[in-house]
Amino acid sequence: MTTEEAFKAGSGFNSLDVWGLIVGVGCVVVLMIAGWILVSTYRGWAKSNLGGDEAVHAAIKATLIVVVTFWILLS
C-alpha cells in the first residue's frame, strides 16, 4: 500500500483535494489580512493620523505580502 492509498483509506479524501483546501484557506486568510491592513491604513489616512508616505508604504507591504504568499502557496 502506498502512502497515497493509505491517506485515502484513512481520511476518505484524495491528498490533492486536501492540498487544494489548505492552499485555498491560506489564500483567503492572506487576502483577509491584506484587506484589514489596507482598510486600517485608509482609516488612519482619512483621519489625518497617518501621512501619505506611510500609507503608501503600508499598501506596498500588504501587496508584497499577498504576492509572496501566493507565490509560495501556489508554486
Side-chain angles (χ1 to χ4, degrees):
M1 180 179 279
T2 65
T3 56
E4 179 73 28
E5 293 169 350
F7 182 82
K8 188 168 184 173
S11 67
F13 299 107
N14 189 358
S15 64
L16 289 176
D17 295 337
V18 174
W19 177 80
L21 177 68
I22 292 170
V23 168
V25 169
C27 289
V28 167
V29 167
V30 167
L31 285 174
M32 289 179 67
I33 290 170
W36 174 68
I37 291 169
L38 293 174
V39 168
S40 297
T41 302
Y42 174 73
R43 287 181 181 168
W45 177 75
K47 292 181 180 179
S48 298
N49 293 334
L50 195 64
D53 290 339
E54 290 92 357
V56 170
H57 288 150
I60 290 171
K61 288 178 186 178
T63 304
L64 285 175
I65 288 170
V66 170
V67 169
V68 169
T69 306
F70 276 25
W71 176 66
I72 290 171
L73 288 176
L74 299 175
S75 63

